[in-house]
Amino acid sequence: MTGWIAPAALALLMASCGDGGAQPRSIALRLVLPVAPDPMAVVERLSLSADQPEFGRVAASFDADADRLELPAIAPGEGWTFELAGHAGGAVIALGRTCPVDVPAAGEIPEIALPFALVRRFSAVGAPAHERAAATLLPLEGGDLLVLGGAPAERYRRDLAGFEPAQGPDGALVAAPLRDGAYLVVGEVGEAWMLAADGEASPLGAVEPRAGSALAPLDDGRALLVGGVDADGALRADTLVFDPSRREFLPGPALVASRRGATATAAPGGALVVGGVGMKGAVVLVERVDAGGAEAIGTLAHGRAEHTATVVGDALLVIGGRDADGVALASVERVRPNEGRVEAVEPLPMPRFGHTATALSDGRVLVAGGFEAGGTPIDRALLWDQAEEGFLPTDRLLRARGGHAAVVACDGSVLFVGGVGMGADRGEIYEPAPLE
């Protein structure tokens, strides 16, 4: 199999593949550019690569104005990933990848979308049809993303860098992944759904309403719903365990500390429940909870809510939030569940709450947006670097926003949607730079 790609706004990768004297066939890769900025305007050289677990990696480099880009032979197989890198000044300044795709030995090969954007930059994509102060983003099979929460559902199309209407729950909700690409979605008013890998929703039986709850998957394929407040505003210490094989909720263990607004994060041995607001204000107790029970495994130096909790290696990085008095925090703490301890690490340069902290595929964490101490949405973003044990600067969001959603797509880019702030109704993506 050989290939070429025309460096244009809509690029085409043609690859001929054959077995012996078989008739060559072609693969079309369509370059999908963001609304702004245009990466092709500043790229000097291009490198094209294709990678497959069994076959390995093939790559070639060319001038940006080359008429033809050819790759060495590519064999049919499952899980091929194509990557286009744009270079200038000796550095990678733009990047695009496909989601893993299958190249069959026979039959027609559908066109494959390859989003391409500047690295370490936020780029504008199409605007959703609905504004939403709170949103949930769920990756779907094929690479699209489902946008839920606060408004009618929408689907982000990677091949169009834009949004289209979709079927799905609306209103305030929490969601957690199940096995085989499915999701459990629970609304604050007591409705629940299972979503298939393609986003199709099927309703479940009603659960007792609880606002401010958290939801996390468990090791055994079930999911755990924790905390919140009931319809009368009373704090809940009880939990529910959802069994997807039976499509029902079962009573779970009681929390050590009742709370609302906590985070629940999947971890080996059970979900880690951190922070939130309890009877006496912001909760400091960290709990590990599974279907068999709940145990306290550490104490935060600063109780907090509206924070984030992100898995980094075998630890949980707890960033920012607001304390019992509503004061924004710059504090960052690392929970080591296997050792039963919590330690302080380098704080944020400035306090923030209502931000996102997204684990990237290379182990870094992208901290973006949120609200500053006075409640004003901010556009600053940072990268937590595990090797440096601290935060590094990166580009600013195009729109200052807080209370938004962010998720890593199958190609490694990060989509941002929703939240509060001027222009926060628009979507944007962040393309991480490769580690040097």
Side-chain angles (χ1 to χ4, degrees), residues 280-308:
K280 298 180 179 180
V283 179
V284 297
L285 198 65
V286 178
E287 300 183 50
R288 178 160 46 200
V289 188
D290 64 13
E295 61 173 340
I297 61 168
T299 302
L300 299 171
H302 300 276
R304 63 189 75 207
E306 298 179 78
H307 57 285
T308 55

Side-chain angles (χ1 to χ4, degrees), residues 37 93 117-123 394-396 429-431:
I93 66 165
L118 295 174
V119 300
R120 299 190 186 91
R121 294 285 300 274
F122 289 90
S123 300
T394 190
D395 190 29
R396 291 180 178 232
I429 59 171
Y430 179 86
E431 183 64 53

Side-chain angles (χ1 to χ4, degrees), residues 3-299:
W4 64 274
I5 185 165
L10 290 179
L12 187 68
L13 170 69
M14 299 297 295
S16 61
C17 61
D19 183 10
Q23 181 68 29
R25 296 179 300 127
S26 63
I27 299 174
L29 267 144
R30 180 167 58 85
L31 204 61
V32 181
L33 301 178
V35 174
D38 180 6
M40 297 304 296
V42 291
V43 166
E44 298 172 357
R45 288 184 62 79
L46 292 169
S47 60
L48 178 66
S49 66
D51 186 86
Q52 198 261 356
E54 296 180 359
F55 186 86
R57 184 175 184 270
V58 293
S61 181
F62 309 89
D63 291 333
D65 57 356
D67 294 330
R68 185 180 181 86
L69 298 167
E70 294 194 6
L71 285 177
I74 298 173
E78 298 180 351
W80 276 102
T81 301
F82 298 91
E83 179 178 286
L84 183 67
H87 306 260
V92 175
I93 66 165
L95 202 60
R97 306 176 197 84
T98 66
C99 299
V101 296
D102 297 339
V103 178
E108 182 179 353
I109 304 172
E111 181 182 74
I112 302 167
L114 195 159
F116 189 63
L118 295 174
V119 300
R120 299 190 186 91
R121 294 285 300 274
F122 289 90
S123 300
V125 296
H130 304 282
E131 297 182 12
R132 55 188 85 222
T136 297
L137 282 168
L138 304 178
L140 302 177
E141 64 180 3
D144 289 348
L145 300 165
L146 188 63
V147 188
L148 300 176
E154 298 183 68
R155 178 187 291 256
Y156 177 74
R157 292 271 303 271
R158 288 181 64 257
D159 60 340
L160 301 176
F163 298 83
E164 67 179 17
Q167 298 297 317
D170 57 14
L173 50 83
V174 290
L178 303 171
R179 291 177 176 169
D180 300 322
Y183 294 94
L184 171 65
V185 178
V186 180
E188 288 190 350
V189 296
E191 300 171 293
W193 303 263
M194 273 189 69
L195 268 61
D198 62 0
E200 182 178 354
S202 58
L204 301 168
V207 297
E208 293 183 24
R210 57 173 77 203
S213 61
L215 187 63
L218 296 175
D219 293 341
D220 60 7
R222 296 185 292 179
L224 182 74
L225 182 68
V226 303
V229 295
D230 63 19
D232 297 323
L235 285 167
R236 305 195 68 139
D238 64 317
T239 68
L240 294 174
V241 177
F242 177 73
D243 186 338
S245 65
R246 299 169 61 175
R247 294 176 60 90
E248 66 178 354
F249 290 89
L250 304 172
L255 294 173
V256 177
S258 59
R259 58 183 90 194
R260 61 173 173 82
T263 54
T265 309
L272 297 179
V273 180
V274 177
V277 178
M279 295 291 292
K280 298 180 179 180
V283 179
V284 297
L285 198 65
V286 178
E287 300 183 50
R288 178 160 46 200
V289 188
D290 64 13
E295 61 173 340
I297 61 168
T299 302

